[in-house]
Amino acid sequence: MPERALTALELEVLSELLCMEFAGARDLRLQLPHAAVVGRCECGCATVDLHVDPRWALPAPVSKSPITAEASVTDDRGREIGGILVFLDRGYLSCLEIYSAADPITAWPDAAHRHPMLVPRRAR
């Protein structure tokens, strides 16, 4: 897959999670203008692999991946059907993942179906 810019919705989802306050969030926000999509999940879900050129942005001092900001995803009835995670590779944004317990979620949900939260994680 050739490298491409994030779509408006991918950027909205990623920005929504990175606007929360957690260790390294400011540094990750500075990477956003330099993040590009370099791959997709093979299962057909909306998950995208990301790359940030280290010539244009510094790594975030974050030791936890996925980051502590995530979102649950709900259906039209308000039932939780999945979630959204952001993974890092050596302090750089590397994956915006959407997961579900059933069928793959093939499109990024709108804001009404995303519920961001901070979830503490142990360092690995």
Side-chain angles (χ1 to χ4, degrees):
M1 168 182 194
E3 185 174 304
R4 67 166 175 81
L6 280 80
T7 66
L9 195 49
E10 289 165 344
L11 184 58
E12 178 183 313
V13 171
L14 191 52
S15 296
E16 180 178 62
L17 295 175
L18 296 182
C19 79
M20 300 177 81
E21 290 304 323
F22 57 91
R26 179 184 171 279
D27 298 291
L28 293 172
R29 287 192 290 269
L30 292 174
Q31 293 179 16
L32 275 176
H34 310 289
V37 173
V38 295
R40 298 248 353 203
C41 183
E42 294 179 10
C43 82
C45 72
T47 296
V48 290
D49 296 318
L50 305 172
H51 174 72
V52 176
D53 190 326
R55 295 176 297 176
W56 307 113
L58 295 173
V62 179
S63 61
K64 298 174 183 165
S65 184
I67 64 172
T68 58
E70 63 181 63
S72 63
V73 176
T74 56
D75 63 14
D76 290 332
R77 294 181 182 167
R79 295 178 302 193
E80 187 172 332
I81 59 168
I84 300 171
L85 300 171
V86 177
F87 289 89
L88 307 177
D89 181 17
R90 293 171 293 199
Y92 289 99
L93 298 166
S94 67
C95 182
L96 178 60
E97 178 182 307
I98 190 163
Y99 65 88
S100 69
D103 295 330
I105 300 172
T106 59
W108 293 103
D110 61 29
H113 294 95
R114 297 188 313 259
H115 309 280
M117 64 192 132
L118 290 175
V119 179
R121 290 188 174 77
R122 293 183 184 175
R124 292 181 184 198

